[in-house]
Amino acid sequence: MAVIAIYSVKGGVGKTTTAANLAWCSATISCRKTLLWDLDVAGGAGFLFDVAPDHPRASLVLKRDVKATDAVIATAYDRLSLLPADDTLRELDTVLGRIGKRKRLARIAGKLGRTFERIILDCPPALGQISAQVMRAADVIIVPMPPSPLSARSFDLVVKEIKAHAKQHPPILPVLSMIDMRRNLHRQAREANPEWPVIPLSSVVEQCAVRREPVGVFAPGSPAARGYGQLWTAIERKLASL
Ligand SMILES: Nc1ncnc2c1ncn2[C@@H]1O[C@H](COP(=O)(O)OP(=O)(O)O)[C@@H](O)[C@H]1O
Ligand SMILES: [Mg+2]
């Protein structure tokens, strides 16, 4: 079992879209039993798969009042399940602070590991209890970043903030998340970080939120679908090297 966190201190950088598409790659391309765990109260991951919880109990799972496996719901895809977010996550940081168990998320993920081979965490754009718990639970952290000449600097800042909040942390992998090679500055960002995986800026990716399907389903030959597939392969390779 491996836990892959999609994380950034920033919002709107493509975390949820990346998490949803990677979860689909894991379940469909790698044929892994996969759980997408939505930790962001905004609930974007559930929206992208067009599934919603019957009962709001996301924070009850973390309080251990509800068994995590009981809160998991199926998606339209084989091997792919969702642990959805809901409004109860609004108080998540306070709840985790009050519980005082530093490895609560890691422990629950460990239990879920009896059922799932890959757990993908869609994280809220925040530093605090939740990010600290994510650092303790994850085997690898993916940081999506829109390309700019300052991408490397903004990646360093995210790493610095992670380090400030977590003494130990898993390997952190940057991804250029909305790259448009027609733009000069985007090309420069690509050239400055040639080894970073890229996801193209693409209307096909935007369509995910309209069709409520991952790109691999409705545009399998698109550069975006290839980008997510290659990123997933890079993650599996990283996990194998740990
Ligand atoms: N590669 C991409 N190309 C085009 N639009 C994208 C891409 N990735 C994300 N988006 C769009 O950017 C917005 C923010 O993405 P989202 O995944 O919700 O970010 P976050 O979870 O970091 O807040 C959404 O409208 C999404 O459709
Ligand atoms: Mg999000």
Side-chain angles (χ1 to χ4, degrees):
M1 188 274 277
V3 179
I4 299 118
I6 317 301
Y7 177 79
S8 173
V9 287
K10 297 206 180 82
V13 294
K15 291 184 299 300
T16 298
T17 311
T18 304
N21 280 285
L22 289 179
W24 182 87
C25 290
S26 169
T28 304
I29 299 174
S30 295
C31 295
R32 303 263 194 205
K33 280 191 177 176
T34 304
L35 178 70
L36 176 56
W37 189 347
D38 189 352
L39 291 165
D40 189 351
V41 67
F47 181 86
L48 286 180
F49 282 106
D50 203 6
V51 287
D54 307 331
H55 311 288
R57 49 192 174 182
S59 76
L60 295 180
V61 167
L62 286 154
K63 287 182 190 160
R64 286 223 156 129
D65 292 339
V66 165
K67 240 171 86 185
T69 43
D70 290 345
V72 165
I73 53 180
T75 70
Y77 307 101
D78 286 347
R79 298 176 294 275
L80 179 52
S81 302
L82 179 81
L83 189 44
D86 56 51
D87 268 356
T88 65
L89 287 183
R90 218 168 275 288
E91 306 294 325
L92 183 58
D93 246 47
T94 322
V95 167
L96 286 171
R98 216 168 29 227
I99 295 170
K101 298 281 187 198
R102 292 161 41 84
K103 292 201 163 183
R104 175 57 59 91
L105 189 73
R107 294 263 145 76
I108 298 172
K111 287 231 163 106
L112 285 163
R114 292 176 197 159
T115 313
F116 297 100
E117 301 170 85
R118 295 287 178 264
I119 298 175
I120 298 183
L121 306 177
D122 182 20
C123 301
L127 277 161
Q129 293 287 342
I130 182 61
S131 56
Q133 295 260 353
V134 165
M135 300 309 142
R136 290 175 205 121
D139 295 291
V140 59
I141 301 193
I142 310 302
V143 179
M145 242 171 324
S148 98
L150 297 176
S151 293
R153 190 167 172 272
S154 76
F155 177 63
D156 289 347
L157 283 175
V158 174
V159 173
K160 212 169 139 195
E161 293 191 57
I162 289 174
K163 282 188 196 301
H165 284 77
K167 279 195 209 93
Q168 290 186 322
H169 63 78
I172 306 173
L173 301 185
V175 177
L176 291 173
S177 66
M178 300 180 191
I179 200 155
D180 180 351
M181 291 300 267
R182 290 169 305 186
R183 298 187 197 176
N184 221 341
L185 292 181
H186 286 208
R187 275 204 308 277
Q188 282 175 26
R190 174 69 178 140
E191 282 156 17
N193 309 286
E195 73 289 2
W196 291 9
V198 295
I199 304 297
L201 180 77
S202 152
S203 57
V204 163
V205 179
E206 286 173 321
Q207 282 292 316
C208 286
V210 180
R211 303 180 63 121
R212 302 175 82 176
E213 292 173 335
V215 286
V217 172
F218 65 92
S222 62
R226 275 205 304 281
Y228 288 120
Q230 283 164 2
L231 174 56
W232 178 249
T233 306
I235 292 169
E236 284 285 9
R237 215 177 294 133
K238 184 79 197 170
L239 290 171
S241 76
L242 296 178

